[in-house]
Amino acid sequence: MIRQHDAIAGLVDEIYADLRRGGIEALFYDFSPVPFSAEEGVFCLPTHIEARGIPDEMLTDWCEHGLYRLDPVQRCASRITRPFYWTYHPGEPSMITPELVADGADQVSEKLMAWGLARGITVPIHLPGGGFATATGFLGGSAPSRSILAQFAYVAHELQDRIAPMLEPAVPRLSPRERECVQMTGKGLSAKQIAFELGRSESMVVKHLQSAARKLGARNRSHSVALAARYGYLH
């Protein structure tokens, strides 16, 4: 679920106004406490997004239609720590060129080219505890100067530092037994089957599952498994 926070929105509005004067035409920030799902290489959708200067349908395409998981820029950012310039314009040098052959990359390219958002600067922010954020400034013209790249990187990290206390809490901490029970539930085992596998009573397994659900904020066991996958507990 993408969360909204008025204080963060106000701060981003302020920063975006300054960036526009420096040549940044649009801004996109996203944060996830866990970047990847239990399926290797598959991104979790971010829990917080702030977007300025982009078409309304971009959020729908990126989140509801899954283009976030196919985004070559996001894939590149997940593997490096330094700010980088990227472009989808053919023949222009770009950090994301190797990613453009991946499945779905053409869908992302087509959308961004149509919206005039095909050049930008992205700052990957790999956080202690496994959290991951990116800040992207979209450019209208050619590649930025080194000074603009450095300035945007500074602003992105300052933004992260200022909003970090307002983002969602850290990943819930499950006990080893709670984690084990949720993992086995994710494999399709019932509480009775888990009890047999672990040599515990069924009532104790149910207790562990209920405790895990409370910590994860889950509505039921299926929701517990989905959230556990999001937080990396099913690896």
Side-chain angles (χ1 to χ4, degrees):
M1 179 179 68
I2 305 301
R3 302 188 177 187
Q4 303 297 318
H5 194 299
D6 290 343
I8 292 177
L11 177 59
V12 173
D13 286 340
E14 175 187 331
I15 288 175
Y16 176 54
D18 289 339
L19 288 172
R20 288 192 69 185
R21 289 190 285 270
I24 300 294
E25 296 190 354
L27 176 66
F28 194 96
Y29 167 87
D30 60 81
F31 165 80
S32 177
V34 178
F36 295 104
S37 70
E39 187 178 349
E40 185 177 357
V42 176
F43 283 106
C44 291
L45 291 179
T47 57
H48 197 99
I49 285 177
E50 293 290 339
R52 303 293 185 274
I54 66 169
D56 292 340
E57 59 264 35
M58 182 173 173
L59 281 179
T60 300
D61 285 337
W62 255 242
C63 297
E64 296 180 22
H65 298 164
L67 291 191
Y68 178 88
R69 294 188 170 101
L70 304 176
D71 189 346
V73 171
Q74 201 69 17
R75 291 180 179 276
C76 186
S78 71
R79 295 198 299 269
I80 65 176
T81 58
R82 67 183 185 278
F84 60 96
Y85 166 73
W86 52 266
T87 175
Y88 286 94
H89 290 273
E92 294 183 2
S94 174
M95 283 288 294
I96 63 170
T97 298
E99 303 290 343
L100 297 181
V101 297
D103 290 343
D106 57 335
Q107 299 177 52
V108 176
S109 177
E110 181 181 349
K111 293 283 186 179
L112 293 178
M113 289 288 282
W115 292 328
L117 299 173
R119 293 186 183 94
I121 304 167
T122 292
V123 181
I125 306 173
H126 299 267
L127 300 163
F132 179 58
T134 63
T136 294
F138 294 90
L139 304 165
S142 57
S145 66
R146 289 187 178 182
S147 62
I148 292 176
L149 188 64
Q151 180 184 19
F152 184 74
Y154 175 82
V155 169
H157 284 284
E158 181 184 37
L159 172 63
Q160 179 62 40
D161 288 344
R162 292 177 67 180
I163 69 177
M166 297 181 274
L167 293 169
E168 70 175 52
V171 175
R173 292 186 178 276
L174 301 186
S175 71
R177 188 64 75 188
E178 290 165 353
R179 178 173 181 167
E180 193 171 26
C181 289
V182 173
Q183 287 175 332
M184 296 177 82
T185 299
K187 294 177 181 178
L189 276 65
S190 66
K192 184 175 182 178
Q193 291 170 320
I194 295 172
F196 177 78
E197 291 290 332
L198 298 180
R200 298 287 190 273
S201 68
E202 185 176 351
S203 62
M204 182 58 68
V205 169
V206 170
K207 182 178 178 181
H208 287 315
L209 289 171
Q210 290 174 339
S211 177
R214 284 195 300 272
K215 291 179 180 179
L216 292 167
R219 296 183 297 273
N220 50 47
R221 289 185 189 175
S222 296
H223 194 205
S224 287
V225 171
L227 291 173
R230 179 179 188 81
Y231 289 121
Y233 280 121
L234 299 192
H235 288 293

